[in-house]
Amino acid sequence: MKGFVFHGPGQSAWEDVPDPAVKEPTDAVVRVGAVTICGTDLHILKGDVPEVRPGTVLGHEAVGEIVEIGSDVRTVRPGDRVLVSCISACGRCRYCREAAYGQCRGGGGWILGHLIDGTQAEYVRVPHADLSVHALPAALESKDAVLLADIFPTSYEVGVLNGHVRPGDTVAVVGAGPIGLAAIATARLFAPERIVAVDLAASRLEAARQLGADAVADAREDPGQLVADLTDGLGADVVIEAVGLPESFELCTRMVRPGGHVANVGVHGRPATLHLEDLWIKNITITTGLVDTHSTPTLLRMAAAGRLPTAQLVTHTFPLDGMEEAYDVFARAADTGALKVVLGGHPHDEVAVPAA
C-alpha cells in the first residue's frame, strides 16, 4: 500500500509501505477513507517530537471501513464505517479506568503516527479497537467526521473543560488555527459573555469571527490591552493557548485575571518562561494536557445533529494520494489560508449500524 512516511526532520514521502495486518486479538485493520493533517504532524516534521522514528507512517486521525478484526474485538465488525480516534485505549490500566485514555499505560495513548504507523495511508492497524474506534452516525459525512478524531475533542477537553469555562466568562483564545477555532466553537456551548480571538493572520481572525468570536486582536498590537479594556482591567477568566510558542504562552499568563485559568493546548517544541515572580500572588491555575477523547461519543452526537461547525473548518480537499501537496498547503497556511485540509472523504452511500 501507499503511506506518508517520516524519514527524519524535513524529510518525508508518499511511498510504498507494507500492508498492515492484525497482530493482536484486540486489533482492527481499517481501510482509510478520509484523513486530515494536524499541526502536531508539522511539529514531527520539524523534529520537535523525537520519539517518532524515521520510517514511521504519520497521521492519527481517520475515517474508514473496518476490513479485518482480531478475535477479541466485540464492538465493531468488517464493513462498519468508523472514526479512528487519535488516542488508543487499552481499557484496563489505572488511567483508562479513570477515562484518562491519553495516559494509557497498557499500550495505548497517542501511539498512531507517533510510536507505531499511523493513518496517513491506504490502510491502518488500530490497536485496542473496541475503545479506539467509534461507529459513525449515518448522517455524518466523512469529511466532517474526521475532525472529531482530534481537534474537536482536544479543544473541548484540554481547552474548554480544563479551563473551566462558565456562563458569563470572558474567554481569550490565543491562536486561531484549527484548534483555536474549535475551542471558540465549543466554548460557546457554555454561554460565555464574550470570546476574544488572538492571531497574526487576518484570514484566521475573520474565521474566528464567523465561528463566534465577539472580538479579535492582532497578536502584534497588544491584545492584552484589548482584554483589559473589555474587562475593566481585570483580565480574562479563561485563556486558552493554542499555538505552542514561548511568546504565546507568556502572553496568556499576562492576560488572565487573578483567580483565572490558563489552559495550554499548544504543542511546545521550546522552553517557555514561567514568570512566577509575577504569578505567584495571582491564584491562577495553569493546566496542560494530552486529549483523552472521553468526549468523542458526545461530540459525534452533536455533530450529527448539526450542533458543531465542522464543515466551516475545512478549507481544502485533496485525493488521498495528494498527501505531499496537502502538506505543502497546510504548512504554508499564512499564504494559502488553509485551516483544515481533508484527503479523501467522498460521500458515503450507506453505513452498518451496530445493534443497541
Side-chain angles (χ1 to χ4, degrees):
M1 69 170 186
K2 295 284 189 179
F4 189 72
V5 182
F6 171 71
H7 289 294
Q11 302 176 63
S12 58
W14 177 255
E15 61 188 44
D16 290 327
V17 293
D19 292 343
V22 168
K23 294 182 178 180
E24 301 291 340
T26 53
D27 288 350
V29 174
V30 176
R31 179 188 294 115
V32 173
V35 296
T36 184
I37 300 171
C38 180
T40 305
D41 297 321
L42 299 183
H43 281 281
I44 292 170
L45 290 178
K46 291 177 183 177
D48 290 344
V49 189
E51 300 86 3
V52 181
R53 299 186 306 271
T56 301
V57 175
L58 296 186
H60 49 267
E61 307 156 89
V63 167
E65 179 186 331
I66 300 284
V67 295
E68 186 179 1
I69 58 173
S71 59
D72 287 351
V73 175
R74 297 289 182 266
T75 60
V76 291
R77 59 184 181 268
D80 284 354
R81 178 171 165 266
V82 297
L83 174 72
V84 178
S85 176
C86 66
I87 297 296
S88 303
C90 78
R92 295 183 175 90
C93 71
R94 170 183 173 175
Y95 289 104
C96 285
R97 288 177 180 272
E98 297 171 355
Y101 306 129
Q103 304 302 322
C104 175
R105 291 297 183 266
W110 174 35
I111 56 173
L112 291 172
H114 179 210
L115 305 180
I116 66 173
D117 285 340
T119 59
Q120 290 171 4
E122 294 175 314
Y123 293 84
V124 59
R125 179 180 72 90
V126 182
H128 308 299
D130 278 335
L131 283 174
S132 306
V133 301
H134 302 268
L136 283 177
L140 197 54
E141 294 292 349
S142 296
K143 64 182 176 60
D144 298 324
V146 74
L147 302 191
L148 279 302
D150 186 352
I151 67 163
F152 270 94
T154 293
S155 300
Y156 181 59
E157 295 175 19
V158 186
V160 175
L161 296 185
N162 278 4
H164 292 272
V165 175
R166 296 177 299 181
D169 277 354
T170 292
V171 179
V173 179
V174 177
I179 289 288
L181 294 173
I184 290 168
T186 52
R188 283 175 54 82
L189 300 172
F190 291 84
E193 180 180 357
R194 63 177 67 87
I195 299 175
V196 181
V198 179
D199 203 280
L200 293 169
S203 61
R204 292 193 166 192
L205 293 177
E206 178 57 31
R209 283 191 185 277
Q210 293 177 9
L211 285 166
D214 302 286
V216 299
D218 189 310
R220 294 161 292 205
E221 298 179 358
D222 195 8
Q225 186 59 54
L226 172 63
V227 170
D229 292 344
L230 291 171
T231 59
D232 295 325
L234 195 62
D237 301 282
V238 181
V239 186
I240 297 173
E241 201 285 340
V243 180
L245 292 175
E247 299 83 0
S248 56
F249 175 78
E250 293 169 31
L251 172 62
C252 290
T253 62
R254 294 195 299 272
M255 290 199 299
V256 68
R257 68 165 174 83
H261 290 76
V262 174
N264 184 89
V265 188
V267 177
H268 289 264
R270 291 186 283 135
T273 301
L274 181 63
H275 288 285
L276 285 176
E277 74 277 11
D278 298 323
L279 299 173
W280 72 270
I281 201 170
K282 293 186 176 179
N283 291 27
I284 68 168
T285 299
I286 298 175
T287 56
T288 65
L290 175 65
V291 63
D292 294 313
T293 65
H294 62 75
S295 67
T296 301
T298 298
L299 293 172
L300 280 170
R301 291 195 302 272
M302 295 183 66
R307 298 294 301 278
L308 293 179
T310 51
Q312 291 176 248
L313 292 176
V314 178
T315 55
H316 295 73
T317 58
F318 300 87
L320 191 60
D321 61 3
M323 195 70 67
E324 293 177 351
E325 181 184 2
Y327 260 91
D328 177 64
V329 168
F330 187 63
R332 295 186 300 107
D335 300 321
T336 63
L339 294 175
K340 288 300 283 183
V341 302
V342 172
L343 298 96
H346 300 298
H348 66 281
D349 297 320
E350 60 183 39
V351 63
V353 180

